[in-house]
């Protein structure tokens, strides 16, 4: 298998194109999400303002405020989940393509090294063994880094999910307490 430098360049160019398209797709989805959220917030704000204008007493004000808090919190949490989903999908797409590119490049480079080592002059067995050991060590290091990167991404995603759930619980506990204090 003869690998030409043009093949490496073409492969790199194609990956750069894939990365750019994936990034633009993510940005486009985030833009749509942000516009939708802005429209929803504006409509909710106008609706809430109209409702507040019609309030006649403190008890009605407290009840109205309780009714406004939960939907706003739910919309905020849903927005956060959508942002995380978009980012996660883009990351996974890119991660899979990186794995494919690394495997392909590794196979090409390994083939070139094997051919070069096979053509090594007699008496260079020690050098050939050293090169093969270095290649194996590099491959093991790359595998280890990939595992660590995946674990770090999983931990980050779990942390975000836990923080979101904690925020929802805290808001649900705080809302009734705040309403009770205002009523008193």
């Amino acid at each position: 298998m003869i690998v030409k430098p043009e093949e490496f360049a073409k492969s790199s160019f194609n990956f750069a194109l894939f990365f750019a398209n994936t990034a633009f797709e993510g940005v486009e989805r985030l833009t749509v999400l942000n516009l939708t959220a802005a429209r929803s917030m504006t409509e909710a704000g106008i609706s809430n303002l109209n409702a507040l204008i019609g309030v006649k007493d403190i008890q009605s004000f407290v009840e109205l405020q309780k009714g406004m808090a939960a939907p706003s919190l739910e919309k905020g949490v849903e927005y956060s989940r959508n942002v995380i989903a978009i980012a996660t999908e883009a990351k996974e797409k890119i991660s899979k393509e990186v794995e494919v590119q690394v495997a392909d490049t590794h196979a090409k480079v390994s083939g070139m090294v094997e051919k070069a080592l096979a053509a090594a002059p007699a008496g260079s067995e020690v050098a050939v063994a050293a090169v093969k050991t270095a290649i194996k060590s590099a491959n093991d290091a790359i595998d280890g880094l990939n595992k660590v990167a995946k674990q770090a991404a999983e931990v980050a995603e779990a942390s975000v999910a836990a923080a979101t759930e904690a925020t929802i619980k805290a808001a649900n506990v705080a809302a009734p307490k705040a309403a009770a204090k205002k009523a008193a």
Side-chain angles (χ1 to χ4, degrees):
M1 171 185 200
I2 298 174
V3 181
K4 298 175 184 172
E6 298 88 34
E7 290 179 28
F8 281 113
K10 185 177 179 183
S11 177
S12 297
F13 179 74
N14 288 339
F15 177 71
L17 256 156
F18 171 81
F19 181 81
N21 286 333
T22 302
F24 284 133
E25 180 183 303
V27 168
E28 181 180 29
R29 289 177 63 198
L30 282 173
T31 301
V32 169
L33 178 65
N34 286 335
L35 288 173
T36 303
R39 176 179 289 131
S40 175
M41 286 176 46
T42 302
E43 290 170 356
I46 291 169
S47 174
N48 291 344
L49 183 60
N50 285 333
L52 285 171
I53 290 172
V55 170
K56 303 289 183 206
D57 59 10
I58 293 293
Q59 185 63 29
S60 299
F61 177 75
V62 170
E63 290 300 317
L64 183 62
Q65 200 171 26
K66 273 199 277 186
M68 290 178 186
S72 296
L73 181 63
E74 289 171 8
K75 285 180 183 178
V77 169
E78 184 63 26
Y79 174 82
S80 297
R81 286 182 180 148
N82 288 332
V83 169
I84 291 168
I86 291 169
T88 300
E89 287 173 23
K91 175 201 66 96
E92 287 174 358
K93 237 176 150 177
I94 290 171
S95 178
K96 286 178 184 175
E97 186 63 22
V98 166
E99 287 178 15
V100 168
Q101 291 294 321
V102 167
D104 182 52
T105 302
H106 173 69
K108 289 176 182 175
V109 170
S110 292
M112 289 187 328
V113 169
E114 286 296 325
K115 283 186 178 187
L117 293 178
S124 61
E125 291 82 14
V126 173
V128 169
V131 169
K132 285 184 178 182
T133 302
I135 290 172
K136 184 181 179 327
S137 296
N139 289 337
D140 291 344
I142 289 171
D143 288 341
L145 289 174
N146 284 338
K147 287 178 185 175
V148 167
K150 286 180 183 178
Q151 288 173 346
E154 289 170 2
V155 167
E157 288 173 17
S159 296
V160 168
T164 300
E165 292 303 318
T167 301
I168 292 170
K169 287 179 184 176
N172 287 337
V173 169
K177 288 181 182 178
K181 284 183 181 178
K182 288 182 181 178

